[in-house]
Amino acid sequence: GLRDNGGVSASLDIPGWRHVYSGKVRDLYVPDEAETEAAADRLLVVASDRVSAFDHVLEPGIPDKGELLTTLSLWWFDQLSGGDGGRGIPNHLVADHVLGDDDEPVELIPAAVRGRAMLVRSLDMHPVECVVRGYLTGSGWAEYRAEGTVCGIPLPDGLSDGDRLPEPLFTPAYKAPMGEHDENISFERTVELVGAEVAAALRDTSLEIYRRAAAVAEARGLILADTKFEFGTDAHGVLTLADEVLTSDSSRYWDAAAWRSGTTPAERMASFDKQIVRDWLAAHWDKTGTPPELPAEIIGRTADRYRELLQRLTGG
Ligand code: ATP
Ligand code: MG
C-alpha cells in the first residue's frame, strides 16, 4: 500500500527496504540487500499514527502521532546518552546519514517515512517490559486496592489513586508473543526468563533512567508517573536501550501543578498521554469484541496533549 495516512492501516512500499513485522504501533523494515547502503544488522522502526489501548489497536489514528513520538524518543535518547554526571545509557540508534563522495550528507532514512522513523541496530531483545512506577495508578492502583501490593510488592496502607510511591518500583511484565496479553511478573520470574545478571541490570538501569528522566520532567513542571522500557543485548554483549523511550505512549505524564492542587483523581492526573483514550474506551466498551471507533473530539484532544508534552519537554 502507498497511502500516506501515517501508515494507520498499511505497511509502505519503501525502496531499499523490506517490511518484516508490524506491532500494534510500529512497523519494522530490514534492508533489501540489493538496493540499500545500510548495513545488514540495521532495522528501520517506523512509528505509525495508530493508537492502542488495552492491547487493541483503535480506529482511527491520531494525526501526526508517529512523528511526535519519534521526535520525543530521539530527544530522550539524546538526553540519556549525555554526561550530566550520570553515565551514558547505550541505545540502539545509529547515525541516520553518511557522508557522500562530495562530503555532503546522504540521508539513510527513506523520504517516505522521514520524521517518523528511527534507524537502529537490530538487537537480541529481552522479552520483558521494564516498567517503573513512581506513582500509584492504573493497573498498579487496581492491584493495590484489591491486595495492598503492586506486582506483589507490599505497600503502606492508606494510599490513594495518583499518590506518589515511597520510592520508584521496578514492576516488570512478560512481553507475550503477538496476540497474547502481557502479564505482570515477579522479579524471581524475570530471573528465570533472562538470568540473574541480566535481570539485575534491567532493574538497575530502568530505575536509573526513570530517576534521571523524572528529574528532567520535574524541572519542566511535569510528573513522570510511570514508564516502560525495552532492552536488548547487542553483538558485543552490551545491554542496550531499545524501542521508543519516555513517549506519551509508553509513559504517564501529569501536570505537576494540577497534581499538587487537585482534589479529585481526575484533577490531579491531568495527563499528557493516552489516558484520555483509555478513559473514553473504558466508559464506552466492555472489552469484548471489536472496540468502538474513537470520536473526533477524543482524537483531537489526544493529539493536542501529545503536542503540548513535546513542547513543554523540548521547548520545540
Ligand atoms: P508486539 O511486539 O507484541 O507487537 P508492540 O505492539 O508494542 O508489541 P510495537 O511497539 O508496535 O509492538 O513494535 C515495535 C517492535 O519492535 C516491538 O516488538 C519491539 O520489541 C521491537 N524493537 C524495538 N527496538 C528493537 C531493536 N533495536 N531490535 C529489535 N527489535 C526491536
Ligand atoms: Mg511497543
Side-chain angles (χ1 to χ4, degrees):
L2 276 169
R3 272 171 300 166
D4 187 16
N5 60 355
V8 168
S9 49
S11 64
L12 297 161
D13 296 325
I14 306 175
W17 296 88
R18 185 162 51 85
H19 176 248
V20 285
Y21 179 78
S22 286
K24 285 182 285 290
V25 173
R26 262 98 29 97
D27 305 307
L28 305 188
Y29 299 79
V30 295
D32 200 345
E33 304 302 345
E35 295 183 58
T36 187
E37 294 184 52
D41 72 332
R42 293 294 121 97
L43 202 57
L44 188 66
V45 182
V46 179
S48 72
D49 290 348
R50 297 191 292 270
V51 60
S52 74
F54 308 119
D55 284 331
H56 283 261
V57 177
L58 309 170
E59 296 282 344
I62 311 278
D64 299 334
K65 175 173 176 280
E67 192 164 333
L68 290 167
L69 292 197
T70 300
T71 307
L72 194 54
S73 255
L74 292 172
W75 185 82
W76 274 117
F77 276 125
D78 186 51
Q79 296 283 309
L80 296 168
S81 69
D84 60 288
R87 69 184 174 109
I89 307 287
N91 68 54
H92 65 162
L93 293 180
V94 292
D96 56 11
H97 62 272
V98 290
L99 283 188
D101 297 337
D102 49 4
D103 274 0
E104 287 296 309
V106 177
E107 300 280 342
L108 296 178
I109 297 192
V113 294
R114 214 164 280 159
R116 61 187 179 91
M118 295 187 303
L119 194 59
V120 308
R121 287 176 292 153
S122 178
L123 303 173
D124 186 9
M125 297 297 289
H126 298 297
V128 177
E129 307 229 307
C130 296
V131 178
V132 180
R133 299 165 196 267
Y135 290 72
L136 186 62
T137 192
S139 66
W141 164 241
E143 182 186 324
Y144 173 79
R145 226 170 21 167
E147 331 257 352
T149 57
V150 171
C151 295
I153 303 164
L155 290 175
D157 289 339
L159 295 176
S160 303
D161 192 7
D163 277 359
R164 186 180 184 149
L165 292 166
E167 59 180 346
L169 298 179
F170 177 64
T171 58
Y174 173 62
K175 201 167 157 47
M178 190 76 169
E180 292 166 45
H181 291 278
D182 298 344
E183 65 176 297
N184 288 341
I185 55 174
S186 63
F187 187 70
E188 291 66 36
R189 179 80 190 114
T190 309
V191 169
E192 283 170 23
L193 284 167
V194 298
E197 203 180 317
V198 170
L202 291 176
R203 178 194 58 204
D204 296 347
T205 310
S206 297
L207 287 168
E208 181 189 339
I209 301 172
Y210 174 82
R211 286 205 173 86
R212 283 169 65 174
V216 171
E218 197 183 334
R220 289 150 171 88
L222 293 162
I223 288 173
L224 177 62
D226 56 35
T227 191
K228 178 220 68 173
F229 307 111
E230 288 185 37
F231 296 88
T233 297
D234 76 2
H236 310 286
V238 177
L239 188 73
T240 304
L241 183 58
D243 210 52
E244 61 178 340
V245 272
L246 297 157
T247 65
S248 24
D249 264 15
S250 65
S251 319
R252 286 190 171 91
Y253 286 98
W254 302 334
D255 183 86
W259 184 81
R260 278 193 299 268
S261 64
T263 49
T264 66
E267 283 167 2
R268 294 171 77 204
M269 294 181 271
S271 65
F272 295 91
D273 51 56
K274 64 181 181 185
Q275 195 62 38
I276 305 164
V277 172
R278 287 193 203 98
D279 289 348
W280 185 85
L281 204 59
H284 293 87
W285 184 49
D286 64 2
K287 296 189 189 171
T288 61
T290 310
E293 212 168 279
L294 297 170
E297 192 248 2
I298 296 297
I299 301 282
R301 268 168 54 201
T302 306
D304 289 348
R305 298 301 267 174
Y306 274 48
R307 248 179 238 115
E308 205 179 326
L309 175 68
L310 184 67
Q311 222 155 51
R312 285 185 56 171
L313 278 173
T314 71

